[in-house]
Structures are given as C-alpha cells and as structure tokens.
Amino acid sequence: METVTNLIEKAYIYHTLTVDEVIKILMADKEETDYLYKQADLMRKEKMGDEIYLRGIVEFSNYCVKDCNYCGIRRSNKQVTRYRLTLEDILTVCKKMETVKQTTVVLQSGEDSYYTKEKMGDIISAIRSETSLAITVSSGERDIETYAYWKAKGMDRYLLRFETSSPDLFAVCHPDDDLDYRLRCLANLKMLGVQTGSGFLIGLPKETLAQLSADILFATSLELDMIGVGPFIAHESTPFKGAPLAYNRELYFRVIAILRLLNPKAHIPATTAFDALLPEGRDLLLARGANVFMPNMTPQPFRQYYQLYPGKPCLDEDGDDCAFCILGRINRLGRKVGNDAGHSKRI
Ligand code: SAM
Ligand code: SF4
C-alpha cells in the first residue's frame, strides 16, 4: 500500500490524485503534513516564483439579490446596513492602491442589479483609463453578453466560486440558484478569454471528506487561472447559524497545499477567511502554496457592513493600515512583492 509520503511525491511529480488518495493526504499525521507543506512551498517557488502579488479588494456594494444560506449579506438578512460606493469612491481607492504596490483591483460585491451592464462597464473603463491596475471583478452570475461587454471595457479577470461540486449540497446551500448555471457562467468566462478564478467553501454543513476531495479534483479539472478557497464560517443571522467548524484547523491548510501540488501554475490567494481560523492564517498559507494576498481596501465606514462571516479581520482598520501591514508580513516571510500585474501563468 502506498504511504502518504509516496502520494505527496506522486502529486508533486504528476499533479494527479484519486479521491481516495486526496482523502489520505487530508488525514496526514504531523510529519506527513510538514512534508506536504514543504513540497507545496517548493512547487510554488519553482512554478510561480518568490513574488507575492497584492490584489486590493474593494467591496463596492453589499446589496444582493441572492439568498445563499451561508452568507452574512444574503438578501433576507434584514439586519445588514446596505451601502453602495460611487465611481469616485472606487477611483480614489484605486489611485491609493497604485502607491502601495498593489497591481490589481478586485471589485467585489453582492449580486446587485443596480450595477447594470453599462454602469459597471463605466466603472471598469474609468479604472482602465485612469490607473495602471489590472481589473478583476467578482459580482456573481451574469449573462455572457454582460461578461463580454465588461471584458471589452477592460476587465482582465473574473472570480466566481462554484462553492461545492455536489449538486445536492449546492441545492441545500442555494435556495435560488443552480449549479449547472454557475458552471455555465464559468465556461462562458473561459470561452471569452477572461482569466477565470473559482473555488469552493471548505466544510459546508453535511460535507464529507470524500466530497471535499471531489471539490479539490473538480477545481483542478477546470484548469483555472486562479483558485480561491476558504473555510466556511457560520454567521449567526443565516440559516446555517451555529454550525461548528467542520474539521480541525490543520486540515484546512492541507487543502491549499494539495491544490498547489495539483495546480502548479494557478494563482492561489491566501484568502481572508483563513485569518478568522488563526490570526496568522494567511501568512501560514503563503508558506504552504499560496502566492497572492488580497488586502482589504474597502474604505471606512463601510467595512463593518460587509460581514460574510464572524471574525473577519481588519474591520476597524483602513486601507493604509492593511496596505502597510501586508508589506511588513511579506518582508518577514523573506519574499518580495510582485511588481507586474501578475496575470495568469497559464496563458
Ligand atoms: N456575490 C459574489 C459571489 O457570490 O460570487 C461575490 C461576493 S461573495 C460574498 C464572495 C464569497 O464569499 C463567496 O463565493 C463565498 O464562498 C464567500 N462566503 C460567503 N459566506 C461565507 C461564510 N459564511 N464563510 C466563508 N466564506 C463565505
Ligand atoms: Fe450574495 Fe455572493 Fe453572499 Fe451569495 S455569497 S448571498 S451571491 S454576496
């Protein structure tokens, strides 16, 4: 029988595993886990280099038409104070980002129909003409015409997680959504030549280790430019309130390391929700396969209103604090900031 160490070696060389093999690595002991992290960090260094790309997130609207059962800003949560940023607000933040080594803006929001195809197109083209930033959008499901229009206006990338590859679990989590439609959105984005990012939530209620392993392999099969995954953390004002953390904390980090071994050339961000697991969560990820950091650049006083889950870090800080904090973190890790846009390595 193959040992876990053999399986890690196999993933390192061939970038392929079966569901059962992924499960075995997810259950690795301390020594095997250390080896997994070492190999994932080596793979990151070999294929992606030592640069950490800084992609500032601007959470520009927390209005959402959808009711995802895990999300703190879902439509039915009436306790949320809703807000929208203006084009001027967004441009001010983008110009600040250029001065603190951030080369991409990630425009994230709920699914907010106020931002029509044209209105969002105007925001994208203003950023394109007034800054040198690469532009990523993460605003949910839209039709192919809209994605094509935004690309024509200057959008470089799009992030849309599939959340879980199980149609049944997807239905439990999304009372008003359909996995096939979401996957079609991802296929459309790829077809249009938009750099595409996707991923999943780790530890949704009723998820099994076999399902988590299937999600890792499904994300790999999509041949993504970026893979963003994070722990599901229960929010008190959602139907999933009170759900405990599904796994021990270490297992969440193993997911990222396995993803790196299977996807050598994908950009993998150290996502914010890992800091809600452990205060140094994102720093640990950067040494275990991740190569992208997304500082929160949402201006105050709006950050407190974009609480997808409890324990989200940096809610009291402003863009300057987050920008300088990450530069210190990168320094301590002995890595360097990526000066270019950090476009896909798959192109
Ligand atoms: N509305 C867009 C969408 O859903 O694609 C973009 C914004 S949405 C808030 C970004 C991501 O937040 C989702 O893809 C989901 O995985 C994550 N998220 C929502 N609720 C969460 C929770 N309770 N714990 C961890 N992540 C959560
Ligand atoms: Fe809306 Fe996105 Fe939250 Fe779902 S995850 S409720 S689409 S903001």
Side-chain angles (χ1 to χ4, degrees):
M1 203 178 78
E2 279 186 299
T3 64
V4 171
T5 303
N6 292 152
L7 295 176
I8 294 167
E9 274 158 9
K10 176 181 162 187
Y12 185 86
I13 296 167
Y14 300 109
H15 319 302
T16 170
L17 291 169
T18 65
V19 165
D20 286 342
E21 290 169 342
V22 174
I23 293 174
K24 282 186 188 148
I25 302 180
L26 285 173
M27 298 195 306
D29 66 21
K30 164 91 179 69
E31 201 176 318
E32 293 156 350
T33 298
D34 288 347
Y35 183 61
L36 171 68
Y37 293 158
K38 188 165 146 271
Q39 295 306 96
D41 197 42
L42 199 60
M43 179 67 73
R44 183 274 309 155
K45 191 176 173 64
E46 274 174 16
K47 303 293 183 188
M48 306 302 280
D50 272 338
E51 289 82 8
I52 293 174
Y53 288 97
L54 298 182
R55 305 189 166 162
I57 304 191
V58 184
E59 297 151 340
F60 65 94
S61 162
N62 68 351
Y63 282 84
C64 191
V65 295
K66 286 231 162 66
D67 231 358
C68 308
N69 281 332
Y70 44 76
C71 180
I73 61 169
R74 64 199 294 271
R75 184 188 69 222
S76 296
N77 185 0
K78 302 295 180 222
Q79 291 165 34
V80 177
T81 303
R82 305 283 170 174
Y83 71 88
R84 292 185 177 111
L85 299 188
T86 63
L87 171 59
E88 290 67 36
D89 294 331
I90 296 171
L91 274 179
T92 302
V93 178
C94 288
K95 287 177 183 166
K96 158 67 62 69
M97 290 169 55
E98 288 186 293
T99 67
V100 285
K101 302 192 173 190
Q102 297 176 17
T103 51
T104 295
V105 57
V106 181
L107 298 170
Q108 199 190 83
S109 70
E111 268 187 49
D112 183 358
S113 47
Y114 169 87
Y115 295 92
T116 57
K117 178 175 95 175
E118 292 76 16
K119 208 171 266 174
M120 195 66 200
D122 290 345
I123 293 173
I124 292 167
S125 59
I127 298 173
R128 169 60 68 241
S129 63
E130 294 195 31
T131 77
S132 59
L133 299 174
I135 302 170
T136 302
V137 179
S138 178
S139 297
E141 297 167 352
R142 297 288 183 125
D143 58 32
I144 188 167
E145 290 76 24
T146 302
Y147 290 145
Y149 184 80
W150 293 349
K151 180 169 194 289
K153 292 287 176 182
M155 177 178 81
D156 299 288
R157 313 181 192 129
Y158 205 90
L159 299 175
L160 180 66
R161 289 181 176 173
F162 58 82
E163 315 291 2
T164 170
S165 63
S166 155
D168 291 345
L169 187 52
F170 191 94
V172 168
C173 295
H174 303 96
D176 49 10
D177 207 352
D178 174 60
L179 181 57
D180 284 341
Y181 184 68
R182 182 150 314 191
L183 297 180
R184 206 169 326 133
C185 288
L186 287 171
N188 287 343
L189 286 161
K190 287 192 82 167
M191 196 172 65
L192 291 167
V194 177
Q195 296 171 51
T196 303
S198 190
F200 51 89
L201 279 167
I202 309 169
L204 282 166
K206 298 205 166 67
E207 178 187 281
T208 59
L209 269 191
Q211 182 54 50
L212 174 57
S213 304
D215 289 348
I216 292 172
L217 297 183
F218 185 72
T220 303
S221 74
L222 292 176
E223 301 188 345
L224 296 161
D225 300 295
M226 296 96 69
I227 302 180
V229 305
F232 158 65
I233 298 166
H235 189 293
E236 275 310 294
S237 307
T238 65
F240 287 172
K241 69 177 174 201
L245 210 54
Y247 308 110
N248 71 59
R249 283 177 168 69
E250 203 65 54
L251 187 140
Y252 292 83
F253 292 89
R254 288 185 203 122
V255 172
I256 301 293
I258 296 170
L259 281 167
R260 168 55 71 210
L261 294 182
L262 297 178
N263 299 272
K265 288 193 170 180
H267 286 293
I268 300 183
T271 54
T272 314
F274 273 87
D275 268 13
L277 277 187
L278 284 179
E280 305 296 307
R282 283 185 288 180
D283 302 55
L284 292 171
L285 283 180
L286 291 169
R288 296 171 176 182
N291 71 314
V292 170
F293 194 97
M294 297 159 90
N296 189 342
M297 295 302 283
T298 306
Q300 295 293 17
F302 302 109
R303 287 189 187 191
Q304 61 188 302
Y305 306 130
Y306 202 89
Q307 286 213 51
L308 314 176
Y309 49 83
K312 193 167 172 227
C314 315
L315 290 182
D316 297 334
E317 278 134 60
D318 65 19
D320 278 346
D321 295 330
C322 289
F324 292 118
C325 164
I326 177 54
L327 294 175
R329 287 169 119 166
I330 293 176
N331 219 8
R332 282 193 294 281
L333 287 164
R335 303 264 284 278
K336 51 191 177 204
V337 178
N339 289 322
D340 59 300
H343 284 311
S344 175
K345 295 267 191 197
R346 285 191 190 269
I347 295 172

